[in-house]
Amino acid sequence: MPMRLRLAVHGRRNDRIFHLVAINQRTRRNGKPTELLGIYDPRVRPGGATHKTMEWSVGRIRYWLDVGAIPSKTVVKLLEMGNILKPGSPFHPKAAETSTEPTTSAPSSQE
C-alpha cells in the first residue's frame, strides 16, 4: 500500500486550514487518513497571531518517512521550513527532472 504525506483541506472558503496526513496514495484528497500528523494554518489573524501556524508531530512524521511514505512537493517545502528535512534530502525534486532544455545533437557533415 503506497503511503503519501500530503495536505488535506478543511474549513470555509477564504478561511482554510490544512491537515498534514499520512494517507494511501490512491485515496481522494479529503478522504479518511491513516494518521493525522499536523495542522498548518496559513492565515495571519488580525489582532491575534502575527505569524503562520504549523503544529505537527515530528516523531510520527519521521516514522512515516522512514517506512517509505513519500511527501508531496508542498509538504517537502513545509518540512524544510520546519527543519525536519534537510534541503538536500532525497525527497527534494531533482534539478535534472525540472530542466526543460531540449537536447540537441551535433550537426552532421555531409559531403
Side-chain angles (χ1 to χ4, degrees):
M1 174 167 66
M3 295 298 287
R4 193 126 171 117
L5 299 182
R6 64 183 186 199
L7 297 174
V9 181
H10 296 282
R12 287 184 257 156
R13 183 178 55 198
N14 297 326
D15 194 18
R16 300 286 189 203
I17 293 177
F18 299 94
H19 289 180
L20 176 61
V21 296
I23 193 167
N24 185 343
Q25 179 173 315
R26 296 180 183 99
T27 306
R28 62 189 185 274
R29 180 189 69 193
N30 292 335
K32 185 176 180 183
T34 304
E35 185 175 358
L36 175 65
L37 302 172
I39 298 172
Y40 171 57
D41 187 3
R43 287 185 53 111
V44 176
R45 309 237 181 241
T50 59
H51 56 278
K52 299 177 182 184
T53 307
M54 292 184 281
E55 301 172 11
W56 47 43
S57 174
V58 176
R60 294 304 295 170
I61 292 171
R62 288 195 175 131
Y63 165 78
W64 281 108
L65 292 172
D66 289 341
V67 297
I70 301 169
S72 67
K73 290 179 184 179
T74 306
V75 171
V76 168
K77 288 179 188 176
L78 288 174
L79 294 178
E80 285 178 354
M81 285 176 25
N83 294 326
I84 295 174
L85 286 179
K86 302 297 179 205
S89 69
F91 303 110
H92 205 351
K94 295 179 176 48
E97 292 177 358
T98 59
S99 176
T100 58
E101 294 180 22
T103 56
T104 58
S105 60
S108 61
S109 61
Q110 295 180 349
E111 293 178 27

